[in-house]
Amino acid sequence: MLKYDLVVVGGGPAGMAAALKAKECGVEKILICERDETLGGILEQCIHTGFGLHYFGEELSGPEYAARFIEQVEKTDIDVKVNTMVLDITTNNVVIAINKQDGLMEISATAIVLAMGCRERPRGAISIPGTRPAGVMTAGTAQRFANIDGYLPGKEVVILGSGDIGLIMARRMTLEGAKVKAVCELMPYSGGLTRNIVQCLDDFDIPLKLSHTVTEIRGKDRVEGVTISKVDGNLKPIPGTEEYIPCDTLMLSVGLLPENELSRSVGIRLDKVTGGAVVDQYRETNHEGIFACGNVLHVHDLVDFVTQEAQTAGEGAANYILGKKEYADYRIHTKGINGVRYVVPQRISMDGSEEPVKLYFRVGQVFTNATVKVTRNGNVIYAKKKRKLAPGEMENIVIKPEDLQDFSEGDYLFIEVEG
Amino acid sequence: MSYDIAIIGAGVVGSLIARKMSKYDIKIALVEKCNDVAMGTSKANSAIVHAGFDAMPGSLKAELNVRGTKLMGYLCDELSVPFKNIGSLVIAFSEEEMETLQELYDRGMENNVPGMKIIGQDRLHELEPNVSKRALGALWAKTASIVCPYELTLAAAEVAVLNGVDLYRNFAVNDIAFENEIFTIKAKNGKEIEAKYVINAAGIYSDYIASLIGDNSIEIVARKGEYLLMDKSLGGVVNHVIFQCPTKMGKGVLVTPTVDGNILTGPSAKDIEGKDDITTTTDELDMVRKYTSYSIPNVKLNAVITSFAGLRAHSTKGDFIIEPSKVNPHFINVAGIESPGLSAAPAIAEYVQDIMLDVCGRLPKKVKWHRTRPEPVRFRELSTVERRELIENDPAFGQIVCRCETVTEGEIIAACHGPIPAVDMDGVKRRTRAGMGRCQSGFCGPKVAEIIARERGKDLLEVTKFGDNSNIVVGKTK
């Protein structure tokens, strides 16, 4: 059996940042298992720019952002196994993985960081009626065909869902000479970043049809067209609003789901809203010594935040491995209410730490000129005016250590939006 | 090419007949209009082996269902096809429906169905805690089972091919001539073959195929059924095939585990015009959802990973039609094979064999007949020790391609080079399950396409989802 202090599952931005941070903190034997051919994760197919503005203060492409971390990993003695799939994690922290060179490996780990990322919701999850021809694919799959394999997934495209990948692919397909006929969004607002709507749709005169969905797919072999319809306040298609758009491709950008099958198999408690693990401020799960970060924990809008979160997890794992972890006297919970969909971390370990705690959250609808409030037993301990809050953009607030005094086991910190 | 027998249609019925007849030392062609076997009703149905109490006593359906169900377990074992004998429960929600259960039971007794029992509310909820508390009782039929219908079809066709049967794909029959005791069978793509005997196992198109020799006695109505397939995380919500009381249109909406551990619900039932409408519709799927919740109230309907529709070949005569045509006794119709067609299929093959021995006279047997096919590797089902050994012998099994279903590159390569090679994405999917999981090929799609292209010596531009013009990509990037 192989033995490591830390095994990181996933070599995308989260996995790399966590491993590097753990190394920096003094952890000796670290292994990253990556299922794809190279480190970098999905960033490798994100050849557009817009990465790194927060973290590096400059605008990078996905592969450039990834390369900065890959170079750092290469300079360390962190072991990397690519084309390596983790099949299972046992309850006593043995990671079972396979690849062509090493065969089946059983790797004993003191700590594990889960950084498997997320997957796209497929057509079936939203049950679009009609035929089942070729040419229906998720935006991420189309992105891989175009940017990694060098193939054009379609020439006349309708995109359902205005998540960031959908918006990015609208522009990418247009630049490749394809005609993007419409981007339909079920909700009355886009799920993507404002900057992407401007730079990917508006700049190319691609119509964004809010409160619209695809109500039928037509075509025997390959998609021949889709019918789109306007939806009412209950998101139900309104009869009589049907519009048929001939196209050869329907791309779906209808949501991302953290990929937590491994976490589930080892008995890690998951948050129903985020789809990721329930963690404390060090990103430790309910399974001692197993940490989670990045899109496997909750879907982020920017990779910069993934990096920061992964560093937190890497440091947490390092402290655990090096015996520096302070055990909590008790834990308190965080909870989003009144417009706040979720908060990560979901709990705070009260271990006497003097560090501030950063809480990430997302709202469930668009708010303008609203106030974000954090309350405790009805008392407001934090309030801040926000010009705009949107579901597509992740927000964060920092709770000062002095505001975390004198809690008792099981107490709640509520985050809400007013206005 | 000249054959003794041409079988039209490589669905479960045609393929099992091909396997059965392949033990004789004669030349057989199995022709299929699609790019692969099991492309029609055989790939889109409830995947149930029925106990046999539904069909009217004395009907061919009743006789062949009970016999087929008896044979199915052995057959699947022999062909290494996934099969589980889990039993079925028909649930009654009213006193009136309890009477229906008694009728079904009595009919089952007449049909010689073994292992039936009417159980009360308590026993039902003991067996199936998630069944609606309003259910009063159930007819429990222990011989009912679940099977993988497309794998059964593939396995049967593979055995046939290993025994010398020629499989013609993309052979859409559109003309049959009969001269000097020989049929000339022509396909849309211009190809033709000759045969002394024809077995018409063309499913929903069997009336059309019969009409090509002037036999207009068969009328097949395509009856569409829509289904929802749920994520494996719902596995265990039911452990038996759960039926509602039957209606005129079919056996109602069922909820069942699949052999792969998913949950399947459906079908709806709607007679359609024409024969190629396999669209799913909001109305019918909503109906399936409604009836599913009726049986199993707490089933998580948002765990759907895909929906699909299949067409049942409903004969207006109501029973299977398995007999030589009145127009030409060398032309054997095997038509109207709707439910319980899958259950009956092994018995239909036997029955057709008897007809063939009757019309052909004594047929010589092959000296050596392969009963089965090489067992496919199913990495996800292996133990750690077996996995380790497998990768040591062939490193291609050390590369996972489909992460949701744990399918290795080795399995996909094997599928591309099997007795009936997979030639498209859906062919690989049915043989290996790559792309059948919760991400529905989002991640593995491009990789599978690449492997197919490589193994077949083609460009990715030529790789299709299911043949014809179902290309995956349409050009190269700039």
Side-chain angles (χ1 to χ4, degrees):
Chain A
M1 185 168 327
L2 297 166
K3 269 185 90 77
Y4 280 90
D5 297 321
L6 175 64
V7 173
V8 178
V9 185
M16 289 193 289
L20 284 166
K21 188 70 186 179
K23 186 89 245 175
E24 189 189 312
C25 293
V27 176
E28 279 179 23
K29 287 202 73 185
I30 303 178
L31 171 68
I32 303 177
C33 292
E34 165 55 41
R35 58 189 157 201
D36 220 322
E37 290 156 41
T38 59
L39 288 176
I42 295 299
L43 281 177
E44 294 297 321
Q45 67 184 55
C46 300
I47 62 172
H48 53 283
T49 58
F51 303 91
L53 282 167
H54 292 253
Y55 190 75
F56 290 114
E58 55 182 311
E59 195 171 23
L60 305 172
S61 70
E64 281 172 336
Y65 189 95
R68 296 207 173 178
F69 289 88
I70 295 172
E71 280 162 21
Q72 288 184 55
V73 170
E74 281 169 352
K75 282 186 199 142
T76 66
D77 60 353
I78 295 171
D79 285 340
V80 176
K81 290 186 185 294
V82 294
N83 287 317
T84 301
M85 185 79 178
V86 173
L87 295 175
D88 203 6
I89 298 173
T90 66
T91 46
N92 55 344
N93 291 7
V94 174
V95 175
I96 302 187
I98 60 167
N99 67 27
K100 287 184 177 177
Q101 289 72 40
D102 305 284
L104 188 141
M105 295 167 278
E106 287 173 277
I107 310 158
S108 160
T110 309
I112 296 168
V113 170
L114 302 173
M116 294 88 79
C118 58
R119 65 166 172 269
E120 298 174 279
R121 284 174 81 204
R123 171 188 178 179
I126 49 172
S127 293
I128 307 173
T131 56
R132 290 170 296 288
V136 182
M137 64 187 90
T138 59
T141 305
Q143 192 177 45
R144 186 181 171 99
F145 272 130
N147 296 348
I148 304 281
D149 302 326
Y151 286 89
L152 193 62
K155 288 184 175 147
E156 296 193 310
V157 184
V158 170
I159 298 175
L160 175 60
S162 60
D164 289 312
I165 316 171
L167 300 175
I168 293 291
M169 281 312 288
R171 176 175 64 185
R172 180 78 184 104
M173 295 302 289
T174 307
L175 293 175
E176 281 298 336
K179 174 83 187 147
V180 178
K181 295 190 161 178
V183 175
C184 297
E185 170 58 57
L186 181 70
M187 306 304 285
Y189 51 83
S190 164
L193 294 167
T194 309
R195 73 171 196 220
N196 281 337
I197 295 172
V198 175
Q199 294 169 9
C200 300
L201 300 188
D202 298 354
D203 288 358
F204 295 91
D205 291 328
I206 298 167
L208 172 61
K209 289 174 172 285
L210 297 174
S211 298
H212 274 75
T213 192
V214 173
T215 45
E216 195 190 357
I217 296 173
R218 284 198 225 167
K220 190 174 158 285
D221 296 336
R222 177 88 195 184
V223 174
E224 288 161 20
V226 298
T227 303
I228 65 168
S229 304
K230 212 170 158 34
V231 298
D232 62 20
N234 297 317
L235 308 180
K236 293 276 175 226
I238 304 169
T241 61
E242 294 87 358
E243 181 190 345
Y244 180 71
I245 307 179
C247 59
D248 64 9
T249 305
L250 173 64
M251 271 182 210
L252 303 173
S253 176
V254 291
L256 299 170
L257 303 167
E259 204 160 51
N260 272 296
E261 279 63 42
L262 274 179
S263 325
R264 212 173 274 128
S265 72
V266 72
I268 286 171
R269 196 148 73 84
L270 301 181
D271 180 324
K272 282 204 180 85
V273 181
T274 60
V278 171
V279 292
D280 70 4
Q281 70 269 43
Y282 309 111
R283 302 302 183 269
E284 188 170 15
T285 67
N286 67 312
H287 186 110
E288 193 174 349
I290 300 188
F291 297 74
C293 57
N295 282 350
V296 79
L297 184 57
H298 58 130
V299 175
H300 293 62
D301 55 347
L302 297 177
V303 70
D304 308 61
F305 295 138
V306 167
T307 301
Q308 287 170 2
E309 180 177 81
Q311 289 170 339
T312 304
E315 190 177 349
N319 286 339
Y320 175 79
I321 293 161
L322 301 171
K324 293 184 190 164
K325 174 181 162 173
E326 297 288 343
Y327 281 80
D329 302 327
Y330 60 94
R331 292 187 182 86
I332 62 165
H333 306 280
T334 65
K335 195 172 171 60
I337 53 169
N338 296 336
V340 174
R341 269 185 63 229
Y342 73 77
V343 183
V344 170
Q346 292 87 345
R347 49 191 204 176
I348 301 172
S349 294
M350 307 301 274
D351 52 8
S353 162
E354 297 285 301
E355 295 294 314
V357 174
K358 200 180 218 180
L359 301 177
Y360 291 91
F361 66 95
R362 278 189 197 249
V363 293
Q365 63 186 84
V366 176
F367 293 95
T368 42
N369 298 321
T371 305
V372 176
K373 285 198 312 189
V374 180
T375 60
R376 153 191 195 188
N377 294 332
N379 301 319
V380 178
I381 62 166
Y382 175 99
K384 194 176 181 186
K385 269 251 180 248
K386 280 278 190 180
R387 205 176 53 79
K388 193 183 173 202
L389 291 161
E393 322 228 349
M394 205 167 78
E395 302 287 337
N396 67 72
I397 49 181
V398 178
I399 307 293
K400 289 183 261 168
E402 54 266 35
D403 288 329
L404 288 172
Q405 305 293 323
D406 311 321
F407 273 89
S408 341
E409 170 83 53
D411 275 358
Y412 274 86
L413 264 189
F414 292 104
I415 303 187
E416 59 191 298
V417 185
E418 201 177 68
Chain B
M1 279 293 278
S2 296
Y3 293 92
D4 293 297
I5 300 176
I7 301 164
I8 301 176
V12 69
V13 171
S15 298
L16 279 168
I17 293 171
R19 170 181 172 276
K20 200 91 197 157
M21 296 310 294
S22 72
K23 72 169 86 155
Y24 297 103
D25 199 7
I26 52 175
K27 290 189 72 180
I28 301 172
L30 176 60
V31 307
E32 167 54 47
K33 75 171 165 37
C34 295
N35 208 25
D36 199 2
V37 302
M39 284 292 283
T41 309
S42 302
K43 78 165 159 63
N45 58 72
S46 305
I48 304 296
V49 181
H50 295 281
F53 50 74
D54 291 285
M56 282 305 158
S59 64
L60 255 188
K61 276 185 181 174
E63 179 192 335
L64 297 177
N65 180 351
V66 176
R67 171 79 183 148
T69 298
K70 195 173 164 191
L71 297 172
M72 189 67 86
Y74 302 107
L75 181 65
C76 289
D77 192 37
E78 190 168 279
L79 299 179
S80 27
V81 169
F83 169 90
K84 282 180 191 161
N85 175 223
I86 59 173
S88 67
L89 294 163
V90 184
I91 295 174
F93 287 96
S94 63
E95 285 308 326
E96 200 186 326
E97 288 191 344
M98 286 301 286
E99 280 168 35
T100 307
L101 296 189
Q102 188 60 47
E103 276 169 40
L104 292 175
Y105 178 88
D106 293 344
R107 209 189 292 163
M109 291 306 282
E110 258 188 273
N111 290 347
N112 295 316
V113 176
M116 288 184 302
K117 198 173 178 183
I118 290 181
I119 56 172
Q121 205 168 29
D122 293 348
R123 183 76 177 116
L124 170 60
H125 289 126
E126 210 175 279
L127 289 172
E128 290 290 355
N130 291 317
V131 159
S132 167
K133 297 290 171 257
R134 289 176 300 109
L136 302 180
L139 171 60
W140 183 13
K142 294 179 189 172
T143 57
S145 301
I146 51 176
V147 68
C148 179
Y150 42 84
E151 177 125 24
L152 174 60
T153 307
L154 176 69
E158 283 185 340
V159 172
V161 166
L162 288 171
N163 286 298
V165 170
D166 288 339
L167 172 69
Y168 290 81
R169 311 190 205 203
N170 300 306
F171 194 103
V173 175
N174 66 355
D175 186 48
I176 302 176
F178 186 70
E179 217 174 306
N180 302 325
E181 300 295 298
I182 298 284
F183 292 98
T184 304
I185 304 156
K186 293 182 181 159
K188 218 156 79 179
N189 61 10
K191 287 190 180 155
E192 59 176 65
I193 58 167
E194 291 177 344
K196 291 180 196 150
Y197 299 90
V198 171
I199 296 172
N200 170 17
I204 53 169
Y205 293 96
S206 50
D207 51 354
Y208 166 73
I209 296 295
S211 78
L212 294 177
I213 64 153
D215 180 348
N216 296 311
S217 65
I218 301 171
E219 191 190 343
I220 302 294
V221 178
R223 183 169 282 177
K224 186 165 79 171
E226 300 185 24
Y227 294 87
L228 296 169
L229 187 72
M230 319 264 186
D231 192 276
K232 285 181 176 175
S233 61
L234 282 196
V237 69
V238 294
N239 307 303
H240 296 75
V241 183
I242 309 291
F243 293 106
Q244 292 166 354
C245 277
T247 67
K248 222 192 284 170
M249 290 295 278
K251 299 182 180 77
V253 167
L254 60 86
V255 183
T256 180
T258 69
V259 284
D260 301 295
N262 298 86
I263 294 290
L264 178 70
T265 76
S268 58
K270 194 172 183 184
D271 289 347
I272 58 159
E273 284 182 31
K275 302 197 176 210
D276 52 8
D277 172 14
I278 49 163
T279 57
T280 51
T281 62
T282 307
D283 288 352
E284 299 288 311
L285 288 178
D286 280 349
M287 203 276 293
V288 170
R289 286 191 186 92
K290 192 177 113 193
Y291 282 103
T292 301
S293 308
Y294 196 66
S295 294
I296 317 290
N298 57 358
V299 70
K300 273 198 241 143
L301 290 168
N302 59 1
V304 171
I305 59 171
T306 189
S307 49
F308 62 91
L311 299 173
R312 313 168 178 86
H314 173 66
S315 153
T316 47
K317 287 183 183 152
D319 201 2
F320 295 159
I321 301 165
I322 309 176
E323 60 196 14
S325 166
K326 304 277 186 300
V327 173
N328 187 329
H330 291 185
F331 186 97
I332 319 300
N333 285 313
V334 187
I337 313 296
E338 61 180 329
S339 180
L342 172 62
S343 322
I348 293 173
E350 260 183 5
Y351 193 85
V352 171
Q353 172 184 245
D354 289 346
I355 293 177
M356 293 315 292
L357 293 176
D358 221 36
V359 294
C360 305
R362 216 172 129 344
L363 291 174
K365 283 202 177 167
K366 282 193 179 113
V367 180
K368 191 167 171 13
W369 183 64
H370 308 279
R371 297 191 69 82
T372 188
R373 57 171 185 157
E375 186 178 351
V377 170
R378 296 186 187 102
F379 188 83
R380 67 186 170 280
E381 291 174 8
L382 301 181
S383 69
T384 299
V385 177
E386 290 169 319
R387 286 175 172 180
R388 177 173 284 143
E389 214 170 285
L390 188 66
I391 303 169
E392 269 165 24
N393 290 331
D394 184 350
F397 290 100
Q399 179 71 52
I400 297 288
V401 175
C402 168
R403 59 176 81 161
C404 303
E405 293 293 312
T406 319
V407 181
T408 61
E409 186 180 354
E411 290 162 270
I412 296 170
I413 293 172
C416 293
H417 299 286
I420 299 178
V423 293
D424 53 35
M425 301 284 284
D426 285 358
V428 166
K429 182 164 93 170
R430 281 189 298 276
R431 284 164 181 77
T432 66
R433 287 192 65 73
M436 281 209 182
R438 43 179 72 93
C439 92
Q440 289 284 298
S441 85
F443 284 114
C444 68
K447 289 181 189 166
V448 170
E450 217 172 274
I451 297 170
I452 294 174
R454 184 187 75 205
E455 295 301 315
R456 303 196 66 231
K458 300 203 181 259
D459 191 272
L460 199 68
L461 285 168
E462 298 169 85
V463 175
T464 64
K465 182 162 159 56
F466 47 75
D468 290 333
N469 300 311
S470 63
N471 300 65
I472 300 295
V473 290
V474 300
K476 295 202 170 175
T477 49
K478 287 174 183 168

